[in-house]
Amino acid sequence: MKYLLVLLIFLLDRITKELAERGYFNRLNIDFFLNFYLTHNYGVAFGIDIARKIILIFNFLALIVLVLLYRKFGFIGLAFILGGLLGNLYDRVFYGYVIDFIHLRNFFVFNLADLFISLGGVLVFFKLIK
């Protein structure tokens, strides 16, 4: 039951990425500040390019650490980060890239996993300074 939120985030990320791959979001056009278009990110955050093996090793190490922390503390911010990490790690393992499709004006293209990782990071930050 503790991992239900992690699973939900992972599934939501996978479903939206599959819809993006099939072109579903191409039909949506919110022109003012939000666009949807499909990109494949072979690098890491913000398109920074690092060798694929290094990225995978780092991701698996982060996964182990996050699972251990989540098992111990059960904090929702860690669940967000863990679910997002699993979503992007799935892409890297099975496709060799991360599927991105959400574009805010004057910002990078990202996906729901990235959004949950960022939100989880903010929650963990505020938990630590509290």
Side-chain angles (χ1 to χ4, degrees):
M1 194 61 136
K2 186 175 185 176
Y3 290 91
L4 188 59
L5 181 57
V6 173
L7 178 63
L8 183 64
I9 291 167
F10 172 75
L11 291 175
L12 188 60
D13 179 63
R14 290 296 325 133
I15 290 168
T16 56
K17 287 176 178 175
E18 183 62 32
L19 291 172
E21 284 282 329
R22 293 179 183 208
Y24 176 79
F25 294 118
N26 294 345
R27 296 179 222 148
L28 300 175
N29 189 8
I30 305 170
D31 199 34
F32 181 66
F33 69 97
L34 178 66
N35 293 312
F36 294 97
Y37 64 89
L38 182 65
T39 62
H40 296 151
N41 183 354
Y42 292 88
V44 290
F46 313 118
I48 298 169
D49 192 22
I50 298 176
R52 184 170 183 262
K53 289 180 183 178
I54 294 171
I55 295 170
L56 287 173
I57 290 169
F58 177 75
N59 278 213
F60 278 111
L61 289 174
L63 179 64
I64 292 166
V65 170
L66 282 168
V67 167
L68 293 174
L69 288 172
Y70 188 61
R71 284 181 65 181
K72 181 171 180 154
F73 299 109
F75 179 59
I76 191 170
L78 293 171
F80 281 12
I81 296 170
L82 188 54
L85 174 66
L86 286 171
N88 284 342
L89 184 58
Y90 180 95
D91 287 359
R92 290 191 191 289
V93 169
F94 290 99
Y95 305 123
Y97 53 81
V98 173
I99 300 165
D100 290 328
F101 61 93
I102 303 168
H103 181 241
L104 298 176
R105 287 261 184 230
N106 301 318
F107 199 67
F108 300 97
V109 182
F110 60 97
N111 57 49
L112 288 184
D114 298 335
L115 183 65
F116 278 108
I117 291 168
S118 299
L119 182 57
V122 169
L123 292 173
V124 168
F125 173 77
F126 283 116
K127 181 78 168 180
L128 289 173
I129 64 170
K130 185 176 176 182

